């Protein structure tokens, strides 16, 4: 056993786990506030990355302008999605809303293929390229700085949740929409706001993921891993998203190195099944008590 | 309200098709199905077989999702189990055709029972995602075990029945369509029995059902088993129809296709499963025909596949937002309109 190598692999895994955690946070936010399982999270990531590609390459904007533009565009998309597809289904069974996001995923993939074709593209490099050394371990600079951005963003989001009025309104809506409504919180606006914020977060992680591995119309597969992360962590737990993200990132890296690339998804899904068998609501999810 | 359907015996009252109109339409439908292969071209026969296989599988998913309320994204994996069983039996053992189909169904059923075990503890969307896990594990097994032929898959010889080699759509039609009809009849009758009613009770509120004395685990597992049996037989037919079975033949998107089919058709309705599967299979073909009619068709073919993806998604969203009970409800409305037509509308 080569311990230094193991350490290096684990670090890379944790770093990519940070990216999972960021995307999972975008997912959990929507689930907490609106009880919608957004299976299209991977596709929203992809659209964010493609918007960045358009602004940075096609319109040749400088990077510092292209990123905010892409994030704003993604936020607009989030608002449109919430208004046209999610709002009309308020109060419908969760399965219906879930299937709407399945349809949304399909629409987004199709639109991306029509507008940008299915070819693989490369995003311009904007992250520093000097290798990062942690102790003796080498870490790919893109992965390291991507994880760094993810961690900073996650911290910002958590602080916003904690202290900003809108964040408090969001948490109130999440714990009891009816009570929040009667306390004067504009619940429909909170719903819109969550979708916008979630789409923006997804766009940022899409830009990072895309700049590491390139973008293509099949980038939505990343969403499958995110889905595993949130199920393992618990659909409505922010802490679960963070821990689950790091855990799945680590497991994928280890499985990919020691067993082979084709085992990655297999191992994560087996972990998912085991966690569900032991804790049906994920590691940190709320156990809902059913009453008649 | 229906009028003019007076019954004199209990058997007549309990019949599956109980009105004159239904009998007439049934006779017309059967006659059309019998005449169709003699009038249609090869392309339409191919489509008819494909539609028929999809109807069988969608009906299976409807038992599980529409009637028992357990969302599954593993239907394609169960079809794969059936298809691989049939392929291996045909190549290695050479057992008779109908026996292979049954075996395919039962192997898929066993798979369904295993996947169904968590369903007592894991509910709702957690369960849906657990079934995604099942389909990935199945895909991995298909691609990485020795006797499934790895990523290259398996190639079957054409099936033969009573000395007739079933190698064209025309010949397969006479097997695939009757098998599907038989399965549809079984499903339609299932929900008039104790078991079927237990499924419906579980869908409506599983805890209430348990209080009423329905053994939840047994019936949920039974539902998983039946649904995968349908998928397995459909997968077996699929294997004989395409005669090549690879791990990529049964992707997650195929499971999503079946879920979409029963949503578009109408969950919890046998007619809905049929209409949905027909509709969702035909839409891409109609798009292809439509693109061929437009001027500059050759340039448009590049966009055909993404447009198909977009239309597929829009159909799901559109039906959920505007017509949540699906095509079966549309059909019911049309029927009601013509019921007293032209005296009232």
């Amino acid at each position: 056993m080569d311990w230094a190598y193991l350490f290096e692999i684990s670090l890379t895994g944790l770093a990519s786990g940070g990216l999972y955690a960021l995307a999972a946070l975008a997912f959990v936010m929507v689930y907490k506030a609106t009880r919608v399982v957004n299976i299209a999270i991977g596709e929203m990531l992809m659209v964010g990355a493609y918007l960045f590609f358009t602004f940075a390459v096609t319109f040749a904007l400088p990077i510092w302008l292209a990123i905010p533009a892409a994030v704003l565009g993604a936020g607009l998309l989030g608002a449109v999605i919430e208004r046209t597809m999610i709002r009309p289904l308020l109060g419908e069974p969760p399965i219906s809303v879930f299937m709407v996001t399945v349809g949304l995923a399909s629409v987004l993939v199709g639109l991306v293929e029509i507008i940008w074709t299915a070819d693989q593209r490369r995003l311009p490099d904007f992250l520093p390229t000097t290798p990062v050394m942690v102790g003796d371990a080498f870490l790919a600079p893109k992965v390291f700085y991507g994880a760094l951005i993810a961690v900073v963003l996650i911290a910002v989001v958590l602080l916003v949740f904690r202290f900003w009025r809108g964040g408090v309104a969001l948490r109130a809506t999440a714990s009891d929409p009816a009570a929040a409504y009667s306390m004067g919180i504009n619940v429909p606006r909170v719903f819109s706001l969550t979708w916008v914020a979630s789409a923006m977060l997804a766009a940022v992680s899409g830009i990072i993921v895309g700049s590491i591995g390139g973008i293509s119309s099949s980038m939505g597969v990343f969403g499958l891993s995110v889905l595993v992360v949130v199920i393992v962590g618990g659909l409505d737990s922010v802490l679960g998203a963070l821990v689950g993200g790091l855990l799945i990132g680590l497991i994928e890296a280890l499985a990919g190195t020691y067993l082979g690339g084709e085992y990655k998804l297999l191992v994560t899904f087996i972990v998912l099944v085991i966690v569900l068998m032991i804790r049906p609501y994920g590691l940190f999810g709320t156990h809902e008590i059913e009453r008649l | 309200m229906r009028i003019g359907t007076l019954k004199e015996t209990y058997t007549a009252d309990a019949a599956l098709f109980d009105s004159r109109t239904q009998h007439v339409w049934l006779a017309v439908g059967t006659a059309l199905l019998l005449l169709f292969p003699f009038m249609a071209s090869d392309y339409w026969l191919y489509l008819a077989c494909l539609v028929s296989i999809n109807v069988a599988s969608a009906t299976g998913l409807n038992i599980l999702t529409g009637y028992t309320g357990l969302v599954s994204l593993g239907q394609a994996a169960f079809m794969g189990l059936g298809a691989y069983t049939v392929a291996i039996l045909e190549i290695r053992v050479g057992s008779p055709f109908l026996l292979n189909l049954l075996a395919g169904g039962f192997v898929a059923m066993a798979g369904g029972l295993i996947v169904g075990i968590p369903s007592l503890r894991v509910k709702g969307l957690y369960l849906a995602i657990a079934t995604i896990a099942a389909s990935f594990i199945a895909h991995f097994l298909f691609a990485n075990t020795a006797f499934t032929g790895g990523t290259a898959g398996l190639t079957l010889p054409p099936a033969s029945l009573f000395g007739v080699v079933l190698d064209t759509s025309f010949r397969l039609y006479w097997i695939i369509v009757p098998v599907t009809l038989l399965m549809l009849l079984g499903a339609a009758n299932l929900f008039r029995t104790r078991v079927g009613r237990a499924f419906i009770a579980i869908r409506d509120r599983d805890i209430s059902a348990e209080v009423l004395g329905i053994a939840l685990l047994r019936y949920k597992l039974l539902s998983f088993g039946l649904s995968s049996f349908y998928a397995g037989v459909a997968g077996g037919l699929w294997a004989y129809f395409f005669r090549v079975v690879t791990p990529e033949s049964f992707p997650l998107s195929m499971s999503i296709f079946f879920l979409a089919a029963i949503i578009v058709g109408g969950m919890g309705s046998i007619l809905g499963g049929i209409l949905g599967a027909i509709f969702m299979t035909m839409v891409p073909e109609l798009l292809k025909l439509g693109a061929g009619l437009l001027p500059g068709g050759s340039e448009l073919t590049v966009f055909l596949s993404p447009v198909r993806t977009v239309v597929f998604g829009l159909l799901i969203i559109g039906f959920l937002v505007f017509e949540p009970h699906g095509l079966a409800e549309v059909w019911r409305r049309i029927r009601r309109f013509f019921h007293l037509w032209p005296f009232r509308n």
Side-chain angles (χ1 to χ4, degrees):
Chain A
M1 194 69 155
D2 184 356
W3 291 106
Y5 186 55
L6 178 69
F7 180 64
E8 201 172 288
I9 298 296
S10 308
L11 266 184
T12 311
L14 286 176
S16 51
L19 289 177
Y20 283 143
L22 183 63
L25 187 66
F27 177 98
V28 167
M29 208 156 137
V30 161
Y31 184 80
K32 258 177 104 76
T34 63
R35 300 278 135 182
V36 174
V37 170
N38 181 14
I39 210 166
I41 189 81
E43 281 70 19
M44 286 167 77
L45 236 81
M46 172 182 75
V47 171
Y50 269 100
L51 284 176
F52 173 66
F53 174 80
T54 310
F55 287 123
V57 177
T58 315
F59 297 158
L61 292 181
I63 299 294
W64 58 268
L65 211 66
I67 291 179
V71 170
L72 281 180
L76 192 68
L77 176 77
V80 170
I81 291 170
E82 198 274 340
R83 237 13 225 271
T84 55
M85 298 170 196
I86 308 298
R87 187 79 62 87
L89 286 177
L90 265 183
E92 293 284 328
I95 296 169
S96 306
V97 192
F98 169 76
M99 277 312 287
V100 162
T101 63
V102 171
L104 172 67
S106 182
V107 170
L108 290 180
V109 170
L111 284 181
V112 162
E113 283 180 5
I114 291 174
I115 301 173
W116 289 285
T117 75
D119 302 337
Q120 176 123 14
R121 305 290 176 97
R122 269 186 54 117
L123 290 180
D125 288 317
F126 61 92
L127 298 167
T129 46
T130 42
V132 182
M133 305 297 286
V134 182
D136 289 335
F138 165 81
L139 205 54
K142 281 178 177 173
V143 176
F144 174 78
Y145 287 106
L148 199 67
I149 296 172
V151 168
V152 170
L153 255 182
I154 290 169
V156 168
V157 170
L158 290 183
L159 286 176
V160 163
F161 267 8
R162 191 94 191 80
F163 297 110
W164 180 50
R165 277 179 69 88
V168 176
L170 195 150
R171 279 188 295 143
T173 311
S175 72
D176 190 338
Y181 224 143
S182 64
M183 299 309 276
I185 290 170
N186 188 346
V187 172
R189 218 174 73 201
V190 171
F191 282 9
S192 297
L193 194 76
T194 352
W195 272 90
V196 170
S198 164
M200 286 174 157
L201 277 183
V204 174
S205 45
I207 294 170
I208 301 172
V209 171
S211 68
I212 294 172
I215 58 176
S216 72
S217 63
S218 58
M219 222 177 123
V221 180
F222 187 83
L224 271 179
S225 298
V226 175
L227 219 56
V228 174
V229 166
V230 291
I231 293 283
V232 166
L235 282 178
D236 57 354
S237 162
V238 173
L239 179 66
L242 305 184
V243 175
L246 294 180
L247 186 71
I248 296 295
L250 189 60
I251 290 173
E252 271 194 358
L254 293 177
T257 314
Y258 289 105
L259 296 172
E262 72 269 28
Y263 283 85
K264 259 187 180 178
L265 266 180
L266 179 77
V267 170
T268 50
F269 273 107
I270 287 175
V271 169
L272 170 88
V273 171
I274 293 170
V275 168
L276 278 183
M277 292 296 267
I278 301 165
R279 293 186 62 91
Y281 294 92
L283 292 176
F284 302 98
T286 319
H287 188 138
E288 279 162 36
I289 298 162
E290 289 189 56
R291 292 190 179 83
L292 284 181
Chain B
M1 203 189 81
R2 288 202 312 185
I3 46 172
T5 53
L6 188 69
K7 299 294 182 318
E8 288 173 349
T9 58
Y10 282 116
T11 18
D13 196 38
L16 186 59
F17 299 102
D18 61 350
S19 72
R20 277 268 300 283
T21 334
Q22 275 176 327
H23 290 149
V24 171
W25 281 113
L26 216 58
V28 172
T30 318
L32 281 181
L33 281 180
L34 285 174
L35 286 176
F36 180 77
F38 297 105
M39 302 188 297
S41 65
D42 264 357
Y43 173 67
W44 285 99
L45 272 172
Y46 161 85
L47 279 183
C49 291
L50 191 62
V51 163
S52 181
I53 293 168
N54 285 343
V55 165
S57 189
T59 303
L61 186 64
N62 213 350
I63 294 177
L64 183 65
T65 303
Y67 283 101
T68 322
L70 304 168
V71 186
S72 162
L73 281 169
Q75 194 72 353
F78 298 132
M79 275 182 82
L81 271 180
Y84 266 103
T85 311
V86 163
I88 290 168
L89 281 178
E90 182 73 40
I91 296 169
R92 302 272 164 109
V93 186
S95 42
F97 169 68
L98 289 176
L99 204 70
N100 290 350
L101 272 189
L102 271 182
F106 281 115
V107 168
M109 190 174 189
L113 291 179
I114 295 171
V115 175
I117 289 172
S119 67
L120 194 68
R121 270 165 76 76
V122 183
K123 279 185 188 166
L125 298 165
Y126 283 95
L127 181 66
I129 289 158
T131 55
I132 297 185
S135 70
F136 271 97
I137 294 169
H139 178 271
F140 182 83
L141 291 179
F142 294 153
N144 289 288
T145 38
F147 53 91
T148 56
T151 42
L154 298 168
T155 310
L156 284 78
S160 64
L161 193 68
F162 305 125
V164 181
V165 180
L166 304 169
D167 54 354
T168 59
S169 298
F170 178 81
R171 289 177 178 170
L172 276 167
Y173 179 91
W174 298 104
I175 293 296
I176 294 177
V177 172
V179 168
T180 302
L181 287 179
L182 210 63
M183 297 209 291
L184 283 174
L185 199 65
N189 273 311
L190 175 69
F191 297 101
R192 298 153 17 102
T193 65
R194 188 185 167 82
V195 176
R197 290 182 196 284
F199 287 171
I200 294 172
I202 291 173
R203 172 191 68 189
D204 291 343
R205 196 85 169 88
D206 56 350
I207 297 181
S208 307
E210 195 172 23
V211 171
L212 291 173
I214 292 166
L216 277 193
L217 181 61
R218 190 157 44 142
Y219 281 103
K220 279 185 176 178
L221 281 185
L222 192 61
S223 180
F224 256 105
L226 276 175
S227 145
S228 352
F229 179 83
Y230 273 65
V233 174
L237 292 173
W238 195 97
Y240 278 122
F241 185 56
F242 288 102
R243 300 226 300 273
V244 181
V245 183
T246 69
E248 307 305 325
S249 310
F250 305 99
L252 182 61
S253 56
M254 195 172 179
S255 297
I256 293 176
F257 169 85
F258 287 118
L259 205 52
I262 61 169
I263 282 176
V264 166
M267 284 209 273
S269 143
I270 297 292
L271 183 69
I274 303 172
L275 292 178
I278 297 176
F279 187 71
M280 293 307 269
T281 317
M282 294 309 290
V283 163
E285 300 300 327
L286 294 180
L287 277 179
K288 200 155 74 183
L289 288 178
L293 293 178
L294 287 175
S298 55
E299 289 124 58
L300 284 173
T301 46
V302 186
F303 290 108
L304 199 60
S305 149
V307 166
R308 208 146 56 184
T309 320
V310 172
V311 169
F312 176 75
L314 284 179
L315 279 174
I316 300 177
I317 298 171
F319 267 93
L320 280 167
V321 173
F322 299 110
E323 197 62 62
H325 296 290
L327 287 170
E329 180 64 28
V330 175
W331 172 254
R332 214 165 290 144
R333 271 209 303 272
I334 294 173
R335 213 175 56 182
R336 185 170 300 157
F337 176 82
F338 281 108
H339 194 193
L340 290 177
W341 186 84
F343 300 111
R344 211 201 87 195
N345 50 39

